[in-house]
Amino acid sequence: MKCITLSGVDGSGKSTQLKLLREKLERENWNVAYFHAVEFSLANKIARFFKGQKTFEAGKEKAVTNTSWFSLIVRQKFLFLDILRFRFLMRRLKKENCDYLLSDRYFYDSLINVEYLLEVSFPRRRESLLATLFWIPVYTGMTWCVKYLLPHPDKAFYFDVAPERIMSRENPPEQGREYLRTKQNLFKEKISLWNMTVIDADRDQQTIFQEILNKI
């Protein structure tokens, strides 16, 4: 089974390209499974339950832009549980002879979200003992998680597009330009470490889609 993931900031075109890829593979009679890291998240499921939301709609979830230390630790613990659950999901899909697992966002995106919240809530630039104590356990935990626990995709794509371009599109993310820019910078720090293939997402859909096909 091949695992293909599409990552990037809100509005970068991931869902559109995954839909095109899924439809093509299914037309060719491949057994395809779909995965969305936010929908799969236990923390997100619990939050939807208390909000009275019965279904998940990709792209409709409001992003969290600030948090408390306690909430950040809880979010990290739930992320570890989600990765363990995902490992069992992959085993089941392999037994069912699934050919492709396509992921709209991946745990890479979830880890970036945690790091973003850590950055904006407890900035490294403060260079204080308290900020350092906040960073060490969370950042060390995430590093260990990626190295030893997280299944690495066969192909991980990162969709790169300027925040200004995203904000000029129809229905731009309500979090704004700085939110997008900060998350993009965090992603770019991890591209080499996570062996991600960068896709220039500031092009027409078919050109991007053809490049993805060529690389898989």
Side-chain angles (χ1 to χ4, degrees):
M1 181 180 72
K2 289 187 177 181
C3 179
I4 300 171
T5 67
L6 280 62
S7 295
V9 299
D10 307 61
S12 55
K14 303 179 298 297
S15 298
T16 298
Q17 292 301 321
L18 187 137
K19 182 175 182 291
L20 292 172
L21 181 58
R22 184 179 185 179
E23 290 174 348
K24 175 177 174 56
L25 292 173
E26 288 178 342
R27 284 197 303 270
E28 295 175 352
N29 295 317
W30 295 103
N31 186 2
V32 181
Y34 169 79
F35 177 81
H36 195 294
V38 178
E39 180 182 16
F40 188 75
S41 164
L42 278 174
N44 188 272
K45 289 178 186 293
I46 293 171
R48 290 203 307 272
F49 173 80
F50 283 109
K51 292 177 183 177
Q53 296 176 224
K54 295 183 178 180
T55 59
F56 171 83
E57 294 183 55
K60 301 296 184 181
E61 296 288 310
K62 186 175 181 180
V64 178
T65 56
N66 211 317
T67 190
S68 67
W69 175 244
F70 175 77
S71 297
L72 190 61
I73 292 297
V74 170
R75 181 181 290 264
Q76 185 194 46
K77 301 307 179 187
F78 269 113
L79 181 56
F80 290 162
L81 289 175
D82 290 338
I83 291 174
L84 289 173
R85 292 170 55 232
F86 180 71
R87 293 178 69 93
F88 283 108
L89 172 64
M90 289 192 72
R91 289 182 187 177
R92 178 171 63 80
L93 291 174
K94 287 177 181 178
K95 288 181 180 179
E96 295 173 357
N97 296 317
C98 179
D99 298 303
Y100 288 93
L101 174 59
L102 306 182
S103 179
D104 182 351
R105 299 181 187 266
Y106 188 55
F107 291 105
Y108 293 150
D109 300 73
S110 302
L111 288 161
I112 289 294
N113 287 340
V114 171
E115 189 168 343
Y116 170 82
L117 291 172
L118 186 61
E119 176 67 46
V120 298
S121 302
F122 311 98
R124 284 174 284 188
R125 62 178 175 271
R126 291 179 184 173
E127 296 181 350
S128 67
L129 177 60
L130 185 60
T132 301
L133 290 175
F134 283 159
W135 265 87
I136 289 175
V138 176
Y139 201 78
T140 302
M142 291 192 299
T143 301
W144 180 90
C145 178
V146 171
K147 187 173 182 179
Y148 298 108
L149 190 61
L150 181 64
H152 293 284
D154 295 280
K155 201 69 178 178
F157 292 104
Y158 168 68
F159 281 48
D160 186 30
V161 57
E164 292 76 15
R165 177 65 171 169
I166 294 175
M167 294 304 296
S168 70
R169 293 174 177 173
E170 186 177 355
N171 300 318
E174 62 182 28
Q175 293 78 19
R177 187 178 292 109
E178 281 307 310
Y179 166 82
L180 297 175
R181 183 175 289 110
T182 301
K183 289 187 71 173
Q184 279 192 335
N185 289 337
L186 293 173
F187 262 116
K188 289 178 180 180
E189 291 176 1
K190 302 294 192 300
I191 286 173
S192 177
L193 180 64
W194 292 346
N195 194 29
M196 304 182 86
T197 298
V198 179
I199 295 291
D200 177 4
D202 193 11
R203 295 175 295 171
D204 66 272
Q205 292 179 6
Q206 286 303 317
T207 300
I208 296 171
F209 182 53
Q210 190 57 55
E211 181 178 354
I212 292 172
L213 290 180
N214 292 340
K215 293 182 181 297
I216 63 173

